[in-house]
Amino acid sequence: MPHILVAGKIHEDGVALLRSTPGITFDLVNEVSLESYAPLAGKADAILIRTQPLPASVIADATRLRIVSRHGVGYDAVDVAALNARGIPLAIVGDVNSRAVAEHTLMLMLAAARCTVAHDAASRAGNWQVRNQFQTGELDGKVLLLIGFGRIGRRVANLVQAFGMTVMAHDPYAEPRTFTETSVEAAADLDAALPVADYVSLHMPAAPGGALLGGREFA
């Protein structure tokens, strides 16, 4: 009988699906940490993992392992080479959170433009004169540079265009038609695009050669 290790708390609907599926057993570890699930890997035919790492050492201990499913999109924390060496497939959930992250990005941009945190604190303190400092701005007419133009980046572009922003995107892996279909300017040269941008939103994983944005880029 296949045994599934669920490493990290998932929605109760997912747990109910596991409970209602005949012919399987499972362990549910709610804590999201390597230490909490690693001791149980040895009896797992499948591992469903969230944000914690899945290193080669755990994969080696999981002698029965046949598949790994990441409860999300990225897989930076999974030792893919160790899985490949044993022919174990890795599944991800393609569009699980792109809309939520895009909306969160827009919320942060609006909060920065409208000085939301500072003005909230001032209002609670009775400082109504803070509005006379004229610190706030608008997104309308500003330029957003997206670094990374996958699902999240494209969704952000769609949202901010409704606010009247001009959007550029830097992504060496995006197909040219992706930019034309979304009315977004392709920014092949990141160094040339940075000085033009009023806002920069990063939607790419860590680069192998180090951080994409460092002191030089911010300068």
Side-chain angles (χ1 to χ4, degrees):
M1 183 176 292
H3 185 74
I4 301 170
L5 171 56
V6 181
K9 187 174 183 178
I10 63 173
H11 195 278
E12 187 56 39
D13 287 351
V15 178
L17 180 62
L18 290 172
R19 289 191 175 123
S20 64
T21 302
I24 65 168
T25 58
F26 65 93
D27 285 318
L28 179 60
V29 181
N30 283 328
E31 183 183 338
V32 180
S33 71
L34 172 64
E35 296 75 19
S36 62
Y37 83 87
L40 302 173
K43 60 178 182 176
D45 296 282
I47 295 178
L48 187 155
I49 194 164
R50 293 201 60 192
T51 57
Q52 61 272 62
L54 180 60
S57 58
V58 174
I59 295 170
D61 290 340
T63 55
R64 294 171 44 178
L65 191 60
R66 290 188 281 169
I67 187 170
V68 175
S69 179
R70 256 253 41 239
H71 195 272
V73 179
Y75 47 88
D76 298 15
V78 177
D79 194 322
V80 178
L83 292 177
N84 288 342
R86 287 176 49 192
I88 300 171
L90 170 64
I92 60 174
V93 185
D95 203 20
V96 63
N97 60 358
S98 58
R99 293 190 177 198
V101 175
E103 289 180 8
H104 188 80
T105 301
L106 181 59
M107 181 270 292
L108 291 173
M109 291 173 60
L110 285 167
R114 308 305 300 178
C115 302
T116 302
V117 175
H119 280 218
D120 175 73
S123 298
R124 291 174 188 275
N127 177 16
W128 303 107
Q129 298 307 312
V130 68
R131 63 185 176 180
N132 295 324
Q133 296 177 16
F134 303 112
Q135 297 172 314
T136 63
E138 298 175 343
L139 297 186
D140 186 28
K142 301 299 192 299
V143 177
L144 168 65
L145 170 60
L146 294 166
I147 302 179
F149 202 48
R151 293 183 182 91
I152 296 171
R154 294 195 298 271
R155 185 68 179 171
V156 172
N158 178 257
L159 292 175
V160 302
Q161 283 168 338
F163 279 76
M165 297 189 80
T166 299
V167 186
M168 303 185 297
H170 172 78
D171 190 330
Y173 303 105
E175 295 183 9
R177 64 178 178 82
T178 306
F179 299 100
T180 56
E181 290 173 354
T182 54
S183 300
V184 169
E185 179 185 344
D189 186 346
L190 181 59
D191 287 343
L194 283 168
V196 180
D198 298 293
Y199 293 84
V200 177
S201 191
L202 180 63
H203 301 286
M204 292 179 72
L212 265 173
L213 298 177
R216 185 183 69 84
E217 288 77 15
F218 284 119

